[in-house]
Amino acid sequence: MGQKLLELWEFHSAAVLALAKNLLAAVIIIVIGIILSKGAQRIIKRAEDSGSQVQGTVGTLLRAVVRYGIFIICAIMILNVFGVNTASLLAVLGAAGVAVGLALKDTLGNIAAGIIILLMGTCRKGEFIEFGGYMGTVKEINLFTTILETPDGIYISAPNSCIWASPLRNYTRNGKRRMELSIGIDYADSIDLAFQAMQGIIDSEPRFLADPAPQVILQAIQDSSVQITIRAWTTADEYWTIFWEMNKILKTRIEAAGLHIPFPQRDVRLVQR
């Protein structure tokens, strides 16, 4: 029995050693792949925890891409170690990828746009944006769509490619906004008195930002009135609260100063011939 095993070893020793060498190489590749995958996962998780732009959906996506990418590379390397011709396999996978890409062109476009929006931080959760005739507060950004809620509570689901392809206004990003409060006074009223009343409104409102400084301007001479305007900066969070309050105060202060808010009027002359 021993003699037979010895003869079998002598006859197949090269193949056994080659197989053992290949198995050892495959194990080493798997171990290295696991170490690289876990290391990359930790780096992405650390980036998420640090408050960078790699957050939420994009972090989940990156972790999945890294994990499966390393898995595929390791699988191809192991097949190469065992002598499998991976060139034809890669060609087949490439052709299949092209076919799937063409079939899912719009879907992949939304995914790409979603990744770009998340990485570049064009808009973030909680910000108020406007694009393509739609506006609302961003509730969620996922791989395919961005979810908005309009000021009157309407749910909007917009494809990411539509947001990326359209000019986008972000009303929250800069942290402050300029407010314009306008009112028309009668032609017979004193402009200086109107300026004093408007300046009094500015002085009594602590929520207006000091820099840039508020302004009182004569904005337009209209058909039936002279338009006086306050331009003042506020924080984005308090913009609408202050705007609604100021409109009420504006009318009260103008009337208290003895100024008049004229109605639109038009003179009509009849010419008889």
Side-chain angles (χ1 to χ4, degrees), residues 88-109:
S88 57
L89 177 62
L90 290 175
V92 171
L93 291 176
V98 171
V100 172
L102 291 174
L104 302 177
K105 178 178 61 176
D106 294 336
T107 302
L108 294 176

Side-chain angles (χ1 to χ4, degrees), residues 18-226:
L19 178 61
K21 180 180 177 182
N22 291 340
L23 288 174
L24 179 61
V27 170
I28 293 174
I29 291 173
I30 292 172
V31 171
I32 293 175
I34 292 173
I35 294 173
L36 290 176
S37 178
K38 290 185 175 180
Q41 302 285 335
R42 282 195 293 269
I43 292 173
I44 297 172
K45 187 66 170 62
R46 194 177 299 118
E48 288 185 277
D49 296 338
S50 66
S52 69
Q53 294 179 358
V54 184
Q55 297 179 357
T57 305
V58 69
T60 303
L61 174 68
L62 287 176
R63 286 197 296 272
V65 169
V66 168
R67 182 168 61 252
Y68 290 113
I70 292 176
F71 171 79
I72 291 172
I73 292 172
C74 289
I76 293 173
M77 292 177 66
I78 291 172
L79 290 175
N80 272 325
V81 167
F82 284 96
V84 177
N85 184 6
T86 57
S88 57
L89 177 62
L90 290 175
V92 171
L93 291 176
V98 171
V100 172
L102 291 174
L104 302 177
K105 178 178 61 176
D106 294 336
T107 302
L108 294 176
N110 285 325
I111 294 175
I115 294 172
I116 294 172
I117 290 171
L118 289 165
L119 289 176
M120 296 188 65
T122 306
C123 58
R124 301 188 182 102
K125 184 178 179 179
E127 293 183 333
F128 190 87
I129 64 172
E130 177 184 2
F131 67 95
Y134 298 95
M135 63 169 57
T137 302
V138 178
K139 293 299 181 181
E140 180 186 351
I141 303 175
N142 55 51
L143 286 181
F144 302 99
T145 60
T146 296
I147 308 302
L148 306 177
E149 183 179 343
T150 64
D152 54 346
I154 296 176
Y155 173 95
I156 295 178
S157 177
N160 290 329
S161 56
C162 293
I163 296 178
W164 179 246
S166 303
L168 183 142
R169 291 184 178 183
N170 192 322
Y171 292 93
T172 308
R173 178 62 53 86
N174 290 337
K176 62 182 180 180
R177 289 182 62 184
R178 192 183 73 181
M179 178 183 300
E180 291 197 358
L181 300 163
S182 299
I183 196 166
I185 62 172
D186 196 279
Y187 270 89
D189 290 338
S190 169
I191 293 178
D192 292 334
L193 188 59
F195 270 50
Q196 291 176 13
M198 301 290 252
Q199 187 62 46
I201 294 174
I202 292 174
D203 296 339
S204 63
E205 180 47 70
R207 291 173 293 181
F208 286 152
L209 301 180
D211 184 24
Q215 295 176 296
V216 180
I217 60 172
L218 195 161
Q219 185 161 2
I221 298 176
Q222 299 176 332
D223 293 340
S224 304
S225 64
V226 177

